[in-house]
Amino acid sequence: MSDVAVIGAGYVGLTTSVCLAHLGHRVLCADIDEERVARLSKGEVPILEDGLPELLSEGLSSRRLTFVVGARQAAARANFVFLCVPTPQADDGSADLSSVEAVAREIAPVLRRGTVVINKSTMPVGSTRLVQRILGESGASIEEVRVASNPEFLREGTSVQDFLNPNRVVIGCDDPSVAVRVSELYRSLDAPILVTDPASAEMIKYASNAFLATKISFVNAIANLCEAVDADVREVALGMGYDQRIGFEFLHPGPGYGGSCFPKDTAALRYTARRAGYAFSLLDGVVEVNRRQHERMVEKLTALVGGELRGRTLALWGLTFKANTDDLRDSPALVIARRLLDAGAHVRAYDPAAGERAGAIVPGLEIVSDPYEVCIGAAALSVLTEWDEFRWLDFDRVRDALEAPVVLDTRNLLDPGALRRLGFTYEGVGRS
Ligand code: UDX
């Protein structure tokens, strides 16, 4: 059992904290937001994440998990300090490391001998050495305090599962004995552990996300081509997926990827490539296909309602960037809603988890709390997030509420045959 501090109680920090406590470690999780710390200390989870409430209450009642305000207090007692603070996208596309740097400066003077500081948030190549340098400059002894990169590969919505059943654990450190100490934190997990130099560990994270984004843009491009040649992208993806070198995962076409990772991490990797003098045109293309895919959904909807959006009422189902999360960051649904509003449409939306917050972010977007109400008098309905509940609604009721029975299903979630039998005009992505 180790004493662990986790700095940052966001998606990554919170998941890391509850899971490490579940694995038997004593965890102090710090955040600067006093209200968040107070709520977490009472067992209230501020985000929608499967399994998190249960592990939070387990951690609190076993007393292995405690929340505090401020990084110093947490770091002073730890053998391992996980940095889980945000690394948002700066204007030039690079990852903004100012929170990481500030925390490193803050904790440096209080770190104990032998403590390992672990970069968990996604940070660009060079960040392990940067944190080591800042700690040294700010009062920590370079010989006594070491830094390792240990990137997370958590998907929102399934982050607890992903943490406890990882495909791999990556640890990047110049000193193998430090890497071994970090690996012991994960001893009870059944996963391959890969120890590398810091730069390679940092690159593994970016390369993995960029590759997954590439798969999505690739299948979106194939879907668009399928529409032109009357093929069905679902059959194509299935036929490709049986090839084990390709696999079935991440071949679902849609409105383009979004979320807190892929857009930001692809931008940061493009920035890294530019700085390194490498023309990463493949990645440029991936990002451009994704941007175009959002626009393509707006164009499809425009065509479905007869070419003019001004003055039309449009109904949207789903606003989060994917299902089973309440995260709206870089959600394609919000990009599409804004475009529709800019074109003069009246846009009304329903989302099972994040409607109210979306209404506060997108001026002019009307939010309702019922999937049928959203359809009343609308010229078309568009499914923007693949929430399972949308499959099981009463489509007779939906048809009767709409002004015209027109559906744009950007997630290929619904059954086109069944909808057409009910009198709908149905359009998906990459299939007729
Ligand atoms: C991703 C990575 O999967 C995870 O390993 C990393 O740590 C963080 O980024 P996340 O952003 O939670 O996780 O979501 P993910 O399930 O990967 O989906 C990302 C985006 O791609 C979503 O907008 C999703 O709708 C889209 N997507 C995913 C597709 O359009 N098609 C697919 O086949 C898969």
Side-chain angles (χ1 to χ4, degrees):
M1 185 203 281
S2 295
D3 280 304
V4 176
V6 175
I7 313 301
Y11 282 88
V12 174
L14 204 47
T15 304
T16 303
S17 299
V18 302
C19 290
L20 287 175
H22 178 70
L23 296 180
H25 304 295
R26 272 188 303 269
V27 180
L28 252 177
C29 176
D31 202 281
I32 44 172
D33 182 340
E34 288 182 24
E35 194 196 317
R36 198 175 182 88
V37 168
R39 287 186 59 190
L40 285 164
S41 303
K42 285 190 273 177
E44 293 171 21
V45 181
I47 52 174
L48 180 67
E49 196 59 61
D50 201 31
L52 204 60
E54 293 79 1
L55 288 197
L56 175 62
S57 92
E58 177 193 284
L60 292 172
S61 52
S62 68
R63 296 181 184 276
R64 284 199 300 272
L65 178 59
T66 315
F67 294 91
V68 289
V69 179
R72 259 186 191 229
Q73 233 200 94
R77 287 170 34 196
N79 307 120
F80 299 93
V81 181
F82 281 88
L83 301 186
C84 300
V85 293
T87 53
Q89 188 177 325
D91 290 342
D92 59 4
S94 65
D96 175 354
L97 293 179
S98 51
S99 299
V100 173
E101 292 173 14
V103 169
R105 273 190 214 99
E106 188 186 340
I107 63 173
V110 301
L111 293 175
R112 299 200 307 203
R113 268 182 104 96
T115 296
V116 186
V117 174
I118 301 169
N119 288 354
K120 192 67 162 167
S121 320
T122 303
M123 300 184 203
V125 176
S127 300
T128 306
R129 299 217 165 101
L130 172 79
V131 171
Q132 183 87 58
R133 184 170 57 73
I134 293 174
L135 290 174
E137 287 168 3
S138 311
S141 155
I142 298 280
E143 288 74 41
E144 290 165 7
V145 174
R146 306 308 301 269
V147 183
S149 164
N150 173 219
E152 52 84 15
F153 300 97
L154 311 173
R155 289 165 300 175
E156 285 182 23
T158 55
S159 67
V160 169
Q161 271 302 317
D162 290 346
F163 191 101
L164 296 175
N165 303 288
N167 290 165
R168 78 298 208 189
V169 173
V170 175
I171 300 166
C173 190
D174 283 326
D175 182 340
S177 67
V178 172
V180 168
R181 283 182 55 212
V182 175
S183 76
E184 279 163 6
L185 291 168
Y186 301 103
R187 194 179 4 208
S188 54
L189 299 180
D190 182 22
I193 293 185
L194 187 64
V195 173
T196 70
D197 61 278
S200 301
E202 290 156 348
M203 190 54 108
I204 286 170
K205 168 71 195 206
Y206 282 96
S208 299
N209 275 356
F211 186 75
L212 292 171
T214 304
K215 271 188 112 174
I216 297 169
S217 277
F218 184 84
V219 81
N220 281 335
I222 293 290
N224 299 340
L225 202 49
C226 282
E227 288 175 5
V229 299
D230 240 352
D232 185 333
V233 70
R234 288 166 322 141
E235 308 288 2
V236 174
L238 192 65
M240 289 168 66
Y242 276 110
D243 186 326
Q244 289 174 4
R245 293 168 303 174
I246 299 174
F248 297 107
E249 304 250 2
F250 276 73
L251 286 181
H252 302 290
Y257 59 76
S260 65
C261 291
F262 288 174
K264 167 173 87 74
D265 294 350
T266 47
L269 192 57
R270 288 173 82 196
Y271 178 86
T272 301
R274 275 200 302 278
R275 286 286 298 267
Y278 176 67
F280 203 158
S281 51
L282 175 63
L283 191 57
D284 297 342
V286 167
V287 172
E288 177 58 14
V289 166
N290 197 57
R291 192 191 65 73
R292 281 284 312 138
Q293 196 69 4
H294 303 337
E295 303 300 336
R296 201 176 159 91
M297 299 304 118
V298 176
E299 288 158 16
K300 273 173 174 277
L301 201 50
T302 310
L304 278 170
V305 300
E308 180 56 58
L309 291 172
R310 184 160 300 280
R312 310 302 295 278
T313 298
L314 299 168
L316 310 182
W317 279 355
L319 293 168
T320 52
F321 81 94
K322 64 174 187 177
N324 306 319
T325 175
D326 57 0
D327 200 340
L328 293 163
R329 283 177 289 176
D330 271 320
S331 173
L334 297 191
V335 175
I336 293 166
R338 285 194 184 96
R339 290 279 183 286
L340 300 174
L341 286 162
D342 288 348
H346 172 212
V347 187
R348 200 189 290 139
Y350 163 74
D351 185 272
E356 261 178 46
R357 278 192 301 110
I361 299 173
V362 182
L365 179 63
E366 186 194 347
I367 301 295
V368 296
S369 55
D370 180 281
Y372 299 106
E373 188 189 338
V374 81
C375 297
I376 296 170
L381 165 67
S382 185
V383 179
L384 296 180
T385 309
E386 73 284 18
W387 288 100
D388 195 51
E389 70 172 66
F390 298 152
R391 290 174 202 265
W392 314 110
L393 295 173
D394 177 349
F395 283 92
D396 281 317
R397 242 180 107 182
V398 172
R399 181 196 54 215
D400 295 345
L402 288 165
E403 177 195 80
V406 175
V407 173
L408 172 65
D409 179 6
T410 72
R411 298 285 184 165
N412 289 347
L413 182 76
L414 307 175
D415 178 349
L419 287 182
R420 288 191 182 121
R421 279 194 293 282
L422 290 176
F424 281 92
T425 299
Y426 172 93
E427 182 155 341
V429 177
R431 62 174 172 175
S432 51

